[in-house]
Amino acid sequence: LPDANKIQEGLNWLKEGPLEMNDDQIRSCIQQYPGIYLREPNVMYRKVLGSAPRKYRDDTVLKQFIEDDPNILQVTFNCGDEGCQSECGSCWVAYENRLPSIPDF
């Protein structure tokens, strides 16, 4: 079973951290991706922010991406910078290719 204190810390971070999510947003994200949003989302967020292309390394930009696709918190590789890691489902290059259009930030 997951550690209740870690889960509570993660929920508090989702509300009070850079994402500033409300209860409905948190509930929706957990329902869709419990593994991402219940297990140290702050750690996943730092990985996403660290691997993101420079134009996306901003809290406001990532907040907008999460509103459109909560799965973004698992995009923790960037083959464009690091070379292919065979992690296409978690790669920024593949993620950008799936988007209909990339907004300019």
Side-chain angles (χ1 to χ4, degrees):
L1 290 171
D3 181 302
N5 290 329
K6 292 254 185 218
I7 290 175
Q8 189 59 53
E9 287 174 15
L11 294 173
N12 289 341
W13 181 85
L14 289 170
K15 284 183 181 182
E16 300 166 5
L19 298 179
E20 301 173 324
M21 298 174 90
N22 64 41
D23 289 340
D24 290 336
Q25 290 171 314
I26 292 171
R27 188 176 302 107
S28 175
C29 288
I30 289 172
Q31 287 173 341
Q32 292 178 65
Y33 303 102
I36 297 172
Y37 287 88
L38 288 176
R39 290 191 203 130
E40 299 181 318
N42 56 324
V43 173
M44 295 302 290
Y45 182 80
R46 282 194 304 269
K47 287 182 180 180
V48 169
L49 201 59
S51 65
R54 288 198 188 278
K55 63 184 173 183
Y56 303 137
R57 289 183 188 173
D58 179 84
D59 293 333
T60 305
V61 173
L62 288 179
K63 256 175 97 166
Q64 187 175 26
F65 275 139
I66 288 170
E67 288 176 12
D68 293 333
D69 180 11
N71 192 37
I72 188 104
L73 276 193
Q74 77 167 5
V75 182
T76 57
F77 291 93
N78 188 342
C79 293
D81 292 342
E82 303 164 7
C84 186
Q85 303 290 313
S86 296
E87 294 285 345
C88 299
S90 300
C91 178
W92 277 97
V93 173
Y95 185 79
E96 285 184 310
N97 288 336
R98 289 192 308 260
L99 292 175
S101 64
I102 305 291
D104 290 325
F105 293 102

